[in-house]
């Protein structure tokens, strides 16, 4: 339907476009870190990078789209550290503990090392951006896999419907895994989340 | 130590003073509900009620002290509805379910019926006002009593230290009991909290 030449149509960009996208995201990241996400406009970013506003809009539909790209980078880093921490776990119990500890540790580190970026992540949760719902879905899928494994090995109970178990654990861990809530629970680290994980594990016993 | 006449010393007021305090709290409540807690000053309140600012300061040390009095009224109402809902519960399991359901229901009702008052309550939690820490302490004491009762009757496990159990349950329920967090969990009512209570009860099984 589009009459635009191929290299201008969204979602089908070559390597050069990819580099420009990265350049915009990186500049935006620095700008947001200095002035905050809320206070920055696409015009501010354009001025900072030395691009026209129209040129930025060729790569990102909106400020939120740039924010989502930044969030994705940051949440992918959390997921990578979770995967790493679970790599040599031997039992589902051990995996569950390591998974939640890694999420809490990585999230708290982000809070203390880059407060503005943390605020973008919180914003993405409140506004239900796709970056944050996808992150939530990936965490949920990891959790579900651990629970299934534990049910198969006889380590976890099987009476409660699987989806109910996964939803309830996800909710119970929110004070420590949801960035909006974690900032109010920081004084409870590290014992708070460990005690809730222990409660969760007691609830899973067959 | 004070050279003030008896009726001017704080905390030892007669019935007339009590009435004036109530009058200030009631007027402040209306004013906060209209304009928000953050935007209102003691001068605004004084003008509204027709008292001098100095006269208000004879009864309340600060705007926060008035806010705390309002919070106390509102949190006392939640506690009263919790006590009422638990009145004819027969088992510790039943008490635990009813207690948390009543807290969530009363808090969500406050959110939908009086958003500005809800915001003062959230503010009191973030700023750790005495009204909110006292409320938390009372909820914790109720929970502890139920757990002790359940341990004595053999309904709940006794291996986990009592304080760890109570802290972990308190934390796991935060997404639904903490007003700061509840406003982000409203779309999960009523199933979300019920599923976490069920998880908590599974964790308590002997």
């Amino acid at each position: 339907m589009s009459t635009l030449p191929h290299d201008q149509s969204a979602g089908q960009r070559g390597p050069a476009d990819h580099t420009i996208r990265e350049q915009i995201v990186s500049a935006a990241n620095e700008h947001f870190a200095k002035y905050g996400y809320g206070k920055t406009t696409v015009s501010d970013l354009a001025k900072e990078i030395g691009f026209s506003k129209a040129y930025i809009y060729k790569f990102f539909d909106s400020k939120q789209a740039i924010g989502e790209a930044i969030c994705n980078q940051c949440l992918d880093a959390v997921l990578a550290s979770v995967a790493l921490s679970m790599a040599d776990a031997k039992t589902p119990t051990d995996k569950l503990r390591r998974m939640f500890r890694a999420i809490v540790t990585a999230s708290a580190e982000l809070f203390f090392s880059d407060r503005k970026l943390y605020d973008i992540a919180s914003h993405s949760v409140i506004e239900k951006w796709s970056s944050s719902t996808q992150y939530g879905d990936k965490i949920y899928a990891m959790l579900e896999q651990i629970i299934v494994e534990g049910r198969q090995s006889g380590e976890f109970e099987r009476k409660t419907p699987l989806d109910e178990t996964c939803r309830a654990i996800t909710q119970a861990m929110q004070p420590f895994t949801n960035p909006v809530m974690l900032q109010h629970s920081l004084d409870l680290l590290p014992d708070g989340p460990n005690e809730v994980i222990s409660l969760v594990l007691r609830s899973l016993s067959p």
Side-chain angles (χ1 to χ4, degrees), chain A:
Chain A
M1 303 289 282
S2 172
T3 57
L4 289 170
H6 176 73
D7 66 351
Q8 286 188 11
S9 70
Q12 300 219 6
R13 300 183 178 286
D17 283 359
H18 184 73
T19 310
I20 295 169
R21 282 178 69 91
E22 278 182 357
Q23 201 183 333
I24 294 170
V25 167
S26 157
N29 205 345
E30 272 179 47
H31 203 85
F32 290 152
K34 250 189 263 171
Y35 305 104
Y37 176 79
K39 283 184 191 150
T40 300
T41 65
V42 174
S43 298
D44 295 335
L45 287 179
K47 222 174 278 168
E48 176 90 5
I49 312 176
F51 287 166
S52 74
K53 204 171 135 183
Y55 190 69
I56 290 185
Y57 277 122
K58 279 175 69 178
F59 294 89
F60 293 97
D61 288 344
S62 60
K63 184 176 81 165
Q64 181 177 324
I66 306 175
E68 294 224 22
I70 293 175
C71 258
N72 274 331
Q73 281 187 347
C74 145
L75 297 174
D76 281 351
V78 174
L79 290 171
S81 90
V82 171
L84 188 69
S85 80
M86 277 168 56
D88 55 348
K90 291 199 177 69
T91 61
T93 294
D94 195 21
K95 280 186 191 168
L96 199 81
R97 277 202 188 280
R98 284 168 185 245
M99 176 180 132
F100 282 115
R101 271 190 203 155
I103 296 172
V104 176
T105 305
S107 308
E109 263 169 21
L110 183 65
F111 180 88
F112 289 116
S113 70
D114 194 338
R115 184 60 200 275
K116 297 274 185 188
L117 185 51
Y118 186 91
D119 289 343
I120 299 179
S122 299
H123 204 87
S124 83
V125 171
I126 293 172
E127 303 289 333
K128 298 190 202 304
W129 290 0
S130 70
S131 46
S132 121
T133 54
Q134 277 168 24
Y135 170 76
D137 291 348
K138 282 176 193 164
I139 298 283
Y140 187 92
M142 274 191 213
L143 171 65
E144 193 175 50
Q145 201 189 320
I146 298 172
I147 301 296
V148 167
E149 211 180 299
R151 286 179 175 214
Q152 279 166 354
S153 72
E155 207 168 315
F156 298 157
E157 62 97 8
R158 293 173 226 190
K159 272 187 244 163
T160 316
L162 179 64
D163 58 341
E164 181 186 331
T165 294
C166 295
R167 275 196 308 267
I169 296 175
T170 303
Q171 279 311 309
M173 293 303 301
Q174 289 287 304
F176 305 108
T177 54
N178 182 324
V180 183
M181 302 188 185
L182 175 62
Q183 58 191 313
H184 303 295
S185 317
L186 291 168
D187 55 340
L188 298 167
L189 304 188
D191 292 345
N194 286 339
E195 288 181 351
V196 180
I197 299 168
S198 297
L199 178 149
V200 164
L201 286 168
R202 288 195 295 279
S203 81
L204 290 170
S205 84

